[in-house]
């Protein structure tokens, strides 16, 4: 599953530069932290390394050394505003076609609100609307429907701020399957991942029970999860995971027979290559 590809090194450095620019104006400090990040890459970046673990170490280093616990704070607020702007247009598209597949596509369109993967210069509006109108390159929706009909409990692994506005639409839709949904958020800020505060801001607690993974790792890193969340993770009937970080992390966990579905937009070449799709394709993928 998701080990690093050669392109990941330059992506880690781009992301680190953006995070540092958001975290501090101190040029000397940026230099010092970049040296530290290069050291991490020199030691850890090799064939077979796990991308989530390296990314998490880099972003924790930035937060610690700049003494800024949330470099993406301002972008979090912008992302929610952007998502709420799109909401009427997305709801209109869902009115026309109320199938589960269309709700899944809306949730994946929300996955575009990701400055971490796409960079800060992206034309988000154009991307969101074209994403929701595109068909799924991998479509395991029928398998998901089958599993939803059997399940009582679902853990929904959230990804970014902003996109949780679209997740809310999908989670409401899951009501039709009589499942109890628990949304898992990050305990502490990392990148632009959604935490409890943002989930409450958009009313996610109106449609699901909210919990946290107990940590600030990128995606899921099993040994980082709190004991409480590990237990929930093991006991739930079904997992629905948003975004690349969760897809990458789940690939490193022994899932046994538990059905796990990943919803994401293939934003980079390594993910596209690994899943056999094109960059920019939308995917509903059963992992196991």
């Amino acid at each position: 599953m998701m080990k690093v590809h050669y392109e990941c090194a330059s992506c880690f450095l781009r992301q680190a530069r953006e995070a540092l620019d958001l975290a501090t104006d101190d040029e000397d400090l940026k230099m010092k932290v970049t040296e530290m990040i290069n050291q991490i890459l020199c030691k850890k970046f090799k064939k077979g390394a796990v991308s989530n673990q390296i990314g998490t170490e880099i972003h924790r280093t930035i937060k610690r050394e700049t003494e800024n616990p949330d470099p993406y704070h301002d972008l979090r607020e912008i992302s929610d505003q952007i998502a709420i702007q799109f909401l009427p247009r997305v709801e209109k598209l869902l009115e026309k076609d109320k199938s589960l597949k269309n709700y899944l596509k809306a949730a994946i369109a929300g996955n575009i609100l990701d400055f971490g993967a796409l960079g800060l210069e992206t034309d988000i509006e154009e991307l969101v609307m074209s994403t929701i109108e595109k068909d799924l390159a991998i479509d395991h929706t029928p398998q998901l429907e089958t599993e939803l009909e059997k399940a009582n409990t679902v853990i929904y692994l959230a990804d970014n701020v902003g996109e949780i506005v679209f997740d809310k639409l999908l989670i409401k839709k899951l009501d039709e399957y009589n499942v109890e949904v628990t949304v898992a958020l990050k305990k502490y800020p990392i990148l632009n991942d959604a935490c409890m505060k943002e989930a409450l801001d958009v009313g996610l607690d109106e449609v699901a029970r909210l919990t946290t993974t107990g940590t600030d790792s990128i995606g899921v890193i099993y040994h980082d999860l709190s004991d409480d969340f590990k237990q929930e993770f093991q006991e739930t009937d079904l997992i629905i995971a948003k975004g690349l970080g969760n897809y990458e992390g789940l690939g490193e966990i022994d899932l046994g027979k538990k059905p796990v579905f990943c919803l994401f937009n293939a934003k980079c070449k390594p993910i596209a290559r690994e899943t056999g799709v094109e960059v920019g394709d939308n995917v509903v993928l059963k992992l196991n």
Side-chain angles (χ1 to χ4, degrees):
M1 291 307 288
M2 197 57 195
K3 311 295 189 191
V4 291
H5 294 238
Y6 80 91
E7 296 102 322
C8 298
S10 54
C11 189
F12 284 136
L13 286 170
R14 171 191 59 77
Q15 224 181 62
R17 186 195 74 232
E18 290 183 348
L20 277 170
D21 285 344
L22 293 168
T24 179
D25 293 329
D26 183 335
E27 301 294 321
D28 290 338
L29 182 56
K30 288 183 200 182
M31 188 65 187
K32 180 189 149 199
V33 179
T34 302
E35 286 172 22
M36 294 170 86
I37 288 161
N38 279 328
Q39 287 300 316
I40 293 168
L41 289 173
C42 283
K43 276 195 201 129
K44 307 271 174 86
F45 189 87
K46 51 173 86 71
K47 191 170 183 177
V50 178
S51 59
N52 279 20
Q53 291 177 5
I54 295 177
T56 298
E57 189 175 346
I58 286 171
H59 285 280
R60 284 180 181 161
T61 301
I62 291 168
K63 291 196 295 179
R64 184 185 68 242
E65 296 299 321
T66 63
E67 297 180 357
N68 183 334
D70 186 10
Y72 286 77
H73 176 269
D74 293 351
L75 283 179
R76 289 168 179 283
E77 305 206 335
I78 295 167
S79 298
D80 270 346
Q81 288 160 13
I82 292 171
I84 286 162
Q85 260 175 318
F86 290 135
L87 199 54
R89 291 170 68 185
V90 172
E91 284 174 328
K92 206 178 249 177
L93 290 171
L94 293 173
E95 273 301 305
K96 284 183 205 155
D97 171 1
K98 294 184 176 174
S99 64
L100 177 65
K101 179 175 171 176
N102 213 31
Y103 278 81
L104 291 166
K105 282 166 64 177
I108 293 168
N111 190 226
I112 291 295
L113 297 170
D114 182 1
F115 300 105
L118 294 170
L120 303 178
E121 305 302 318
T122 314
D123 180 352
I124 297 285
E125 177 159 7
E126 173 52 36
L127 268 173
V128 168
M129 296 326 287
S130 60
T131 299
I132 201 170
E133 281 156 7
K134 241 171 43 176
D135 209 3
L136 298 170
I138 297 175
D139 182 9
H140 292 166
T141 307
Q143 293 95 312
L144 176 55
E145 289 221 65
T146 302
E147 295 296 347
L148 280 165
E149 273 151 16
K150 290 193 284 194
N152 293 313
T153 55
V154 176
I155 282 182
Y156 192 101
L157 291 171
D159 189 22
N160 301 320
V161 177
E163 85 177 88
I164 54 176
V165 171
F166 297 90
D167 293 334
K168 188 178 175 183
L169 299 171
L170 172 57
I171 292 163
K172 248 191 210 161
K173 177 73 176 171
L174 296 181
D175 252 5
E176 293 173 16
Y177 297 89
N178 296 318
V179 287
E180 186 193 313
V181 180
T182 296
V183 177
L185 303 139
K186 296 291 152 65
K187 184 161 187 186
Y188 311 107
I190 190 152
L191 278 166
N192 53 339
D193 287 12
C195 297
M196 188 66 80
K197 178 194 176 297
E198 291 90 23
L200 292 170
D201 285 349
V202 302
L204 217 48
D205 55 321
E206 297 157 17
V207 296
R209 177 178 158 264
L210 304 184
T211 189
T212 80
T213 60
T215 184
D216 66 346
S217 64
I218 291 174
V220 278
I221 298 174
Y222 193 74
H223 62 255
D224 257 16
L225 302 174
S226 68
D227 291 343
D228 285 351
F229 187 68
K230 275 183 190 159
Q231 191 176 343
E232 286 202 51
F233 190 86
Q234 282 154 5
E235 289 173 0
T236 191
D237 298 330
L238 172 64
I239 291 170
I240 297 175
K242 284 300 293 298
L244 303 186
N246 285 322
Y247 163 71
E248 290 169 358
L250 287 163
E252 298 297 322
I253 297 172
D254 178 8
L255 299 164
K257 290 191 164 66
K258 190 188 302 298
V260 175
F261 290 83
C262 294
L263 321 181
F264 59 85
N265 178 275
K267 294 174 201 154
C268 65
K269 282 184 183 169
I271 296 276
R273 216 165 32 234
E274 188 164 294
T275 50
V277 300
E278 299 294 319
V279 172
D281 278 351
N282 301 323
V283 170
V284 174
L285 174 69
K286 187 172 191 287
L287 259 199
N288 51 350

